């Protein structure tokens, strides 16, 4: 069925797990689905409803009940302006690459001369040099496994995240950062990609990104700790913002950079708010508001919405009691041999309360429009 360009998903359901930020036990709550295949358009719609993927597993956090609410954040890359400190990071990286091979300055400029460089000018400055001290190569390619990528990942996880060497495996790396439900081929500009950073023939960093109809979504970034002095985490954000700007010339709707989740109380996650202008997604209405509108409220309470409503179900979900059977007639399930049927005609939907609840939870969490497009299997 995926060959027909359909999103095929299985329902994983609700889950509780330990929080990687505050270390709470079973305090991070979400609802999940497993995507066997997914169109880039459907995934774009899901992340605009607060979803995110890890490999082929997609999950939607419950911001109201979780210990560290995760707000979807996006930057309008077409309006991005670097701060003075951000420019210093970029200039430091460029100075390292160019080294002592900097071209001679032209004749003396007038006293009132001010050079204004765009992000793209600054990013590509080393490429304008005929000779550099170091050879920098940035390659964008469909996500794939190589021994070189895994070696970088293993070194990064052990050195930066203090994972045990025996816990870092090729299969885990593949599931997490190579496997993707988004189909990429030579005829499509969208899908899941790896952006490789190579210096003097050595892979020093790898960005995992999804290129979608309206955005580039950052999935993960890893780097060789030996090159941490280059500020590669920040530099990669500039590279990806620049990539959005370049894609925007071809696709006018693609103008946003999604940095994943913003967690106000966590320094490892709230630094994302320093890239401006950024918006956070309201977890109830799914409207975007400037991050400044959220910050003062987040200082007082962890769960913020500008559209409060009385409810007894997770924020952003449809009301399960409001669903009509007619609306469920267009929710389809795979029944084998390439055949699909409306979920309401499946015997188990009528006879099993737990099965029916699982289906209703899925529909309420993804919304009717997506529930009508994606096939349950």
């Amino acid at each position: 069925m995926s060959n027909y360009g359909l999103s095929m998903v299985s329902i994983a359901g609700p889950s509780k797990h330990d929080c990687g930020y505050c270390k709470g036990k079973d305090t991070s709550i979400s609802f999940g689905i497993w995507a066997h295949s997914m169109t880039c358009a459907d995934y774009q719609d899901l992340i605009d409803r607060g979803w995110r993927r890890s490999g082929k597993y997609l999950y939607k956090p419950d911001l109201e009940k979780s210990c560290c609410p995760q707000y979807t954040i996006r930057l309008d890359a077409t309006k991005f302006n670097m701060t003075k400190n951000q420019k210093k990071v970029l200039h430091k990286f460029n100075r390292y690459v160019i080294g002592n091979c900097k071209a001679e300055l032209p004749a003396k400029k007038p006293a009132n001369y001010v050079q204004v460089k765009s992000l793209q000018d600054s990013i590509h400055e080393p490429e304008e040099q005929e000779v550099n001290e170091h050879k920098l190569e940035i390659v964008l390619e469909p996500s794939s496994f190589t021994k070189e990528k895994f070696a970088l990942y293993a070194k990064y996880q052990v050195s930066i995240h203090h994972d045990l060497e025996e816990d870092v495996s090729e299969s885990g790396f593949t599931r997490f950062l190579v496997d993707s439900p988004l189909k990429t081929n030579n005829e499509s500009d969208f899908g899941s990609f790896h952006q490789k950073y190579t210096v003097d023939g050595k892979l020093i960093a790898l960005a995992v990104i999804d290129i979608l109809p309206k955005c580039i979504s950052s999935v993960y970034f890893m780097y060789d700790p030996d090159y941490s002095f280059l500020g590669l985490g920040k530099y990669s954000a500039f590279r990806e913002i620049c990539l959005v700007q370049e894609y925007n010339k071809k696709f006018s709707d693609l103008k946003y950079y999604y940095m994943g989740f913003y967690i106000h109380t966590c320094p490892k996650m709230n630094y994302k708010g320093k890239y401006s202008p950024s918006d956070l997604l309201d977890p109830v209405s799914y409207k975007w508001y400037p991050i400044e509108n959220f910050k003062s409220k987040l200082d007082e309470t962890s769960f913020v919405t500008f559209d409060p409503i009385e409810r007894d179900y997770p924020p952003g979900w449809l009301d399960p009691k409001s669903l009509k059977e007619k609306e469920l007639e267009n929710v389809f399930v795979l029944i084998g041999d390439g055949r699909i049927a409306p979920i309401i005609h499946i015997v188990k939907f009528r006879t099993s309360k737990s099965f029916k609840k699982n289906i209703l939870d899925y529909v309420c969490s993804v919304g009717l429009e997506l529930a009508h497009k994606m096939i349950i299997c």
Side-chain angles (χ1 to χ4, degrees), residues 302-340:
S302 62
F303 178 72
V304 173
T305 176
F306 295 95
D307 190 21
I309 57 174
E310 290 291 329
R311 53 185 166 73
D312 56 1
Y313 48 89
W317 283 34
L318 301 176
D319 182 352
K321 298 172 185 175
S322 71
L323 289 178
K324 305 293 190 295
E325 186 162 299
K326 185 174 181 61
E327 294 171 322
L328 297 176
E329 286 179 353
N330 292 319
V331 177
F332 289 91
V333 62
L334 183 68
I335 58 174
D337 298 324
R339 296 177 298 161
I340 59 175

Short mmCIF file of all heavy atoms in Angstrom, two decimals, residues 302-340:
data_model
loop_
_atom_site.label_atom_id
_atom_site.label_comp_id
_atom_site.label_asym_id
_atom_site.label_seq_id
_atom_site.Cartn_x
_atom_site.Cartn_y
_atom_site.Cartn_z
N SER A 302 4.12 25.47 34.15
CA SER A 302 4.76 24.68 33.10
C SER A 302 3.87 24.46 31.88
O SER A 302 4.37 24.24 30.78
CB SER A 302 5.21 23.33 33.65
OG SER A 302 4.09 22.58 34.10
N PHE A 303 2.55 24.51 32.09
CA PHE A 303 1.62 24.28 30.98
C PHE A 303 0.94 25.59 30.61
O PHE A 303 0.26 26.21 31.42
CB PHE A 303 0.56 23.25 31.35
CG PHE A 303 -0.44 23.01 30.24
CD1 PHE A 303 -0.07 22.32 29.10
CD2 PHE A 303 -1.74 23.50 30.32
CE1 PHE A 303 -0.97 22.11 28.06
CE2 PHE A 303 -2.65 23.30 29.30
CZ PHE A 303 -2.26 22.60 28.17
N VAL A 304 1.16 26.01 29.36
CA VAL A 304 0.61 27.28 28.89
C VAL A 304 -0.19 27.07 27.61
O VAL A 304 0.27 26.41 26.68
CB VAL A 304 1.73 28.30 28.61
CG1 VAL A 304 1.17 29.56 27.96
CG2 VAL A 304 2.46 28.66 29.90
N THR A 305 -1.39 27.61 27.58
CA THR A 305 -2.20 27.67 26.36
C THR A 305 -2.91 29.02 26.33
O THR A 305 -3.27 29.56 27.38
CB THR A 305 -3.22 26.53 26.27
OG1 THR A 305 -4.03 26.71 25.10
CG2 THR A 305 -4.13 26.51 27.50
N PHE A 306 -3.09 29.55 25.13
CA PHE A 306 -3.82 30.81 24.98
C PHE A 306 -5.28 30.55 24.59
O PHE A 306 -6.00 31.47 24.25
CB PHE A 306 -3.13 31.69 23.94
CG PHE A 306 -1.76 32.13 24.36
CD1 PHE A 306 -0.64 31.42 23.97
CD2 PHE A 306 -1.60 33.24 25.19
CE1 PHE A 306 0.63 31.82 24.38
CE2 PHE A 306 -0.33 33.64 25.60
CZ PHE A 306 0.78 32.92 25.19
N ASP A 307 -5.66 29.27 24.63
CA ASP A 307 -7.03 28.89 24.27
C ASP A 307 -7.54 27.85 25.26
O ASP A 307 -7.83 26.70 24.89
CB ASP A 307 -7.05 28.33 22.84
CG ASP A 307 -8.47 28.15 22.32
OD1 ASP A 307 -9.39 28.80 22.85
OD2 ASP A 307 -8.65 27.35 21.38
N PRO A 308 -7.63 28.21 26.55
CA PRO A 308 -8.05 27.23 27.56
C PRO A 308 -9.50 26.81 27.39
O PRO A 308 -10.37 27.65 27.13
CB PRO A 308 -7.83 27.99 28.88
CG PRO A 308 -7.96 29.44 28.50
CD PRO A 308 -7.39 29.55 27.11
N ILE A 309 -9.74 25.52 27.48
CA ILE A 309 -11.10 25.00 27.39
C ILE A 309 -11.27 23.92 28.46
O ILE A 309 -10.31 23.26 28.85
CB ILE A 309 -11.42 24.42 26.00
CG1 ILE A 309 -10.42 23.31 25.63
CG2 ILE A 309 -11.44 25.49 24.94
CD1 ILE A 309 -10.75 22.58 24.34
N GLU A 310 -12.49 23.75 28.90
CA GLU A 310 -12.79 22.69 29.85
C GLU A 310 -12.77 21.35 29.13
O GLU A 310 -13.40 21.19 28.08
CB GLU A 310 -14.18 22.91 30.47
CG GLU A 310 -14.26 24.09 31.42
CD GLU A 310 -13.48 23.86 32.70
OE1 GLU A 310 -13.39 22.69 33.14
OE2 GLU A 310 -12.94 24.84 33.25
N ARG A 311 -12.03 20.39 29.64
CA ARG A 311 -11.94 19.09 28.98
C ARG A 311 -11.45 18.04 29.96
O ARG A 311 -10.88 18.36 31.01
CB ARG A 311 -10.99 19.15 27.79
CG ARG A 311 -9.64 19.69 28.14
CD ARG A 311 -8.72 19.86 26.95
NE ARG A 311 -7.59 20.69 27.32
CZ ARG A 311 -6.58 20.30 28.09
NH1 ARG A 311 -6.57 19.06 28.56
NH2 ARG A 311 -5.61 21.11 28.41
N ASP A 312 -11.68 16.78 29.61
CA ASP A 312 -11.18 15.66 30.42
C ASP A 312 -10.35 14.72 29.56
O ASP A 312 -10.28 13.52 29.80
CB ASP A 312 -12.35 14.90 31.07
CG ASP A 312 -13.36 14.40 30.05
OD1 ASP A 312 -13.15 14.63 28.84
OD2 ASP A 312 -14.36 13.79 30.45
N TYR A 313 -9.70 15.28 28.54
CA TYR A 313 -8.86 14.52 27.62
C TYR A 313 -7.59 15.34 27.36
O TYR A 313 -7.54 16.55 27.70
CB TYR A 313 -9.60 14.24 26.32
CG TYR A 313 -10.28 15.44 25.71
CD1 TYR A 313 -9.63 16.29 24.81
CD2 TYR A 313 -11.61 15.75 26.07
CE1 TYR A 313 -10.27 17.41 24.29
CE2 TYR A 313 -12.24 16.87 25.54
CZ TYR A 313 -11.57 17.69 24.65
OH TYR A 313 -12.18 18.80 24.13
N PRO A 314 -6.53 14.75 26.81
CA PRO A 314 -5.25 15.46 26.65
C PRO A 314 -5.37 16.71 25.80
O PRO A 314 -6.22 16.80 24.91
CB PRO A 314 -4.35 14.41 25.97
CG PRO A 314 -4.93 13.09 26.38
CD PRO A 314 -6.42 13.32 26.42
N PRO A 315 -4.51 17.70 26.05
CA PRO A 315 -4.56 18.95 25.27
C PRO A 315 -4.30 18.72 23.79
O PRO A 315 -3.43 17.95 23.41
CB PRO A 315 -3.44 19.79 25.90
CG PRO A 315 -2.54 18.80 26.59
CD PRO A 315 -3.44 17.71 27.05
N GLY A 316 -5.11 19.39 22.97
CA GLY A 316 -4.94 19.28 21.53
C GLY A 316 -5.68 18.12 20.89
O GLY A 316 -5.76 18.03 19.66
N TRP A 317 -6.24 17.23 21.70
CA TRP A 317 -7.00 16.10 21.16
C TRP A 317 -8.41 16.54 20.82
O TRP A 317 -8.93 17.52 21.36
CB TRP A 317 -7.10 14.98 22.20
CG TRP A 317 -5.86 14.15 22.37
CD1 TRP A 317 -4.58 14.57 22.26
CD2 TRP A 317 -5.82 12.76 22.71
NE1 TRP A 317 -3.72 13.53 22.51
CE2 TRP A 317 -4.44 12.41 22.79
CE3 TRP A 317 -6.78 11.79 22.95
CZ2 TRP A 317 -4.03 11.11 23.10
CZ3 TRP A 317 -6.37 10.50 23.27
CH2 TRP A 317 -5.02 10.17 23.33
N LEU A 318 -9.03 15.81 19.92
CA LEU A 318 -10.47 15.95 19.73
C LEU A 318 -11.18 15.35 20.94
O LEU A 318 -10.64 14.47 21.60
CB LEU A 318 -10.93 15.21 18.46
CG LEU A 318 -10.30 15.63 17.13
CD1 LEU A 318 -10.81 14.73 16.01
CD2 LEU A 318 -10.62 17.08 16.83
N ASP A 319 -12.37 15.82 21.19
CA ASP A 319 -13.17 15.25 22.28
C ASP A 319 -13.70 13.89 21.82
O ASP A 319 -14.46 13.82 20.85
CB ASP A 319 -14.34 16.19 22.60
CG ASP A 319 -15.19 15.70 23.76
OD1 ASP A 319 -14.97 14.56 24.22
OD2 ASP A 319 -16.07 16.45 24.18
N PRO A 320 -13.29 12.78 22.46
CA PRO A 320 -13.74 11.45 22.04
C PRO A 320 -15.27 11.34 21.99
O PRO A 320 -15.81 10.63 21.14
CB PRO A 320 -13.15 10.52 23.09
CG PRO A 320 -11.98 11.28 23.66
CD PRO A 320 -12.38 12.72 23.62
N LYS A 321 -15.94 12.07 22.88
CA LYS A 321 -17.40 11.99 22.93
C LYS A 321 -18.05 12.70 21.75
O LYS A 321 -19.23 12.49 21.47
CB LYS A 321 -17.91 12.60 24.24
CG LYS A 321 -17.41 11.86 25.49
CD LYS A 321 -17.79 12.62 26.75
CE LYS A 321 -17.19 11.96 27.98
NZ LYS A 321 -17.44 12.75 29.22
N SER A 322 -17.28 13.54 21.07
CA SER A 322 -17.85 14.30 19.95
C SER A 322 -17.79 13.55 18.62
O SER A 322 -18.41 13.96 17.65
CB SER A 322 -17.12 15.63 19.80
OG SER A 322 -15.80 15.43 19.30
N LEU A 323 -17.02 12.45 18.58
CA LEU A 323 -16.85 11.73 17.32
C LEU A 323 -18.15 11.02 16.91
O LEU A 323 -18.75 10.29 17.71
CB LEU A 323 -15.72 10.70 17.44
CG LEU A 323 -14.30 11.27 17.51
CD1 LEU A 323 -13.30 10.13 17.67
CD2 LEU A 323 -13.98 12.08 16.26
N LYS A 324 -18.55 11.24 15.69
CA LYS A 324 -19.74 10.58 15.15
C LYS A 324 -19.33 9.35 14.32
O LYS A 324 -18.26 9.33 13.72
CB LYS A 324 -20.52 11.55 14.26
CG LYS A 324 -20.90 12.85 14.94
CD LYS A 324 -21.91 12.61 16.06
CE LYS A 324 -22.48 13.93 16.57
NZ LYS A 324 -21.48 14.79 17.22
N GLU A 325 -20.19 8.36 14.28
CA GLU A 325 -19.88 7.15 13.52
C GLU A 325 -19.65 7.46 12.05
O GLU A 325 -18.82 6.84 11.40
CB GLU A 325 -21.00 6.12 13.69
CG GLU A 325 -20.66 4.78 13.04
CD GLU A 325 -21.53 3.65 13.55
OE1 GLU A 325 -21.49 3.36 14.76
OE2 GLU A 325 -22.23 3.06 12.71
N LYS A 326 -20.38 8.43 11.53
CA LYS A 326 -20.21 8.80 10.13
C LYS A 326 -18.78 9.29 9.86
O LYS A 326 -18.22 9.05 8.79
CB LYS A 326 -21.22 9.88 9.75
CG LYS A 326 -21.22 10.27 8.27
CD LYS A 326 -22.34 11.23 7.96
CE LYS A 326 -22.36 11.59 6.48
NZ LYS A 326 -22.57 10.41 5.61
N GLU A 327 -18.18 9.98 10.87
CA GLU A 327 -16.81 10.47 10.70
C GLU A 327 -15.80 9.33 10.73
O GLU A 327 -14.73 9.41 10.13
CB GLU A 327 -16.49 11.48 11.82
CG GLU A 327 -17.32 12.76 11.74
CD GLU A 327 -17.15 13.64 12.96
OE1 GLU A 327 -17.05 13.10 14.07
OE2 GLU A 327 -17.12 14.88 12.79
N LEU A 328 -16.17 8.23 11.40
CA LEU A 328 -15.27 7.08 11.48
C LEU A 328 -15.38 6.17 10.26
O LEU A 328 -14.55 5.27 10.09
CB LEU A 328 -15.56 6.28 12.75
CG LEU A 328 -15.32 7.03 14.07
CD1 LEU A 328 -15.74 6.16 15.24
CD2 LEU A 328 -13.86 7.43 14.20
N GLU A 329 -16.38 6.40 9.42
CA GLU A 329 -16.53 5.57 8.21
C GLU A 329 -15.33 5.74 7.26
O GLU A 329 -15.06 4.85 6.45
CB GLU A 329 -17.81 5.94 7.47
CG GLU A 329 -19.09 5.45 8.14
CD GLU A 329 -20.34 5.87 7.38
OE1 GLU A 329 -20.19 6.64 6.41
OE2 GLU A 329 -21.43 5.42 7.75
N ASN A 330 -14.64 6.86 7.38
CA ASN A 330 -13.50 7.12 6.49
C ASN A 330 -12.16 6.87 7.17
O ASN A 330 -11.13 7.31 6.68
CB ASN A 330 -13.56 8.56 5.98
CG ASN A 330 -14.73 8.77 5.04
OD1 ASN A 330 -15.04 7.92 4.22
ND2 ASN A 330 -15.40 9.91 5.19
N VAL A 331 -12.19 6.17 8.30
CA VAL A 331 -10.96 5.72 8.95
C VAL A 331 -10.77 4.26 8.53
O VAL A 331 -11.59 3.39 8.87
CB VAL A 331 -11.04 5.83 10.48
CG1 VAL A 331 -9.76 5.28 11.12
CG2 VAL A 331 -11.27 7.29 10.89
N PHE A 332 -9.69 3.98 7.79
CA PHE A 332 -9.53 2.67 7.17
C PHE A 332 -8.42 1.86 7.83
O PHE A 332 -7.43 2.41 8.32
CB PHE A 332 -9.22 2.82 5.68
CG PHE A 332 -10.41 3.29 4.88
CD1 PHE A 332 -10.62 4.65 4.67
CD2 PHE A 332 -11.32 2.39 4.35
CE1 PHE A 332 -11.71 5.09 3.94
CE2 PHE A 332 -12.40 2.83 3.61
CZ PHE A 332 -12.60 4.18 3.41
N VAL A 333 -8.60 0.55 7.79
CA VAL A 333 -7.63 -0.39 8.32
C VAL A 333 -7.29 -1.41 7.23
O VAL A 333 -8.14 -1.79 6.43
CB VAL A 333 -8.18 -1.10 9.58
CG1 VAL A 333 -9.43 -1.90 9.26
CG2 VAL A 333 -7.12 -1.98 10.21
N LEU A 334 -6.03 -1.82 7.20
CA LEU A 334 -5.58 -2.84 6.24
C LEU A 334 -6.05 -4.20 6.71
O LEU A 334 -5.80 -4.60 7.86
CB LEU A 334 -4.06 -2.80 6.14
CG LEU A 334 -3.40 -3.75 5.12
CD1 LEU A 334 -3.73 -3.31 3.70
CD2 LEU A 334 -1.88 -3.77 5.34
N ILE A 335 -6.72 -4.95 5.84
CA ILE A 335 -7.24 -6.26 6.25
C ILE A 335 -6.55 -7.41 5.51
O ILE A 335 -6.94 -8.56 5.64
CB ILE A 335 -8.77 -6.34 6.02
CG1 ILE A 335 -9.13 -6.09 4.55
CG2 ILE A 335 -9.50 -5.39 6.94
CD1 ILE A 335 -10.62 -6.30 4.26
N GLY A 336 -5.52 -7.09 4.72
CA GLY A 336 -4.75 -8.13 4.05
C GLY A 336 -4.93 -8.12 2.55
O GLY A 336 -5.95 -7.66 2.03
N ASP A 337 -3.91 -8.64 1.85
CA ASP A 337 -3.94 -8.74 0.39
C ASP A 337 -4.21 -7.39 -0.27
O ASP A 337 -4.91 -7.32 -1.29
CB ASP A 337 -5.00 -9.76 -0.07
CG ASP A 337 -4.69 -11.16 0.42
OD1 ASP A 337 -3.49 -11.50 0.49
OD2 ASP A 337 -5.64 -11.90 0.74
N GLY A 338 -3.68 -6.32 0.33
CA GLY A 338 -3.83 -5.00 -0.26
C GLY A 338 -5.23 -4.44 -0.16
O GLY A 338 -5.57 -3.47 -0.84
N ARG A 339 -6.07 -5.02 0.69
CA ARG A 339 -7.45 -4.54 0.84
C ARG A 339 -7.59 -3.74 2.14
O ARG A 339 -6.95 -4.05 3.14
CB ARG A 339 -8.42 -5.72 0.86
CG ARG A 339 -8.47 -6.52 -0.44
CD ARG A 339 -9.40 -7.70 -0.30
NE ARG A 339 -8.92 -8.61 0.73
CZ ARG A 339 -9.68 -9.53 1.34
NH1 ARG A 339 -10.97 -9.62 1.04
NH2 ARG A 339 -9.16 -10.33 2.25
N ILE A 340 -8.43 -2.72 2.08
CA ILE A 340 -8.71 -1.92 3.27
C ILE A 340 -10.21 -1.89 3.51
O ILE A 340 -11.01 -2.12 2.59
CB ILE A 340 -8.18 -0.48 3.14
CG1 ILE A 340 -8.80 0.24 1.93
CG2 ILE A 340 -6.66 -0.47 3.03
CD1 ILE A 340 -8.40 1.70 1.81
#
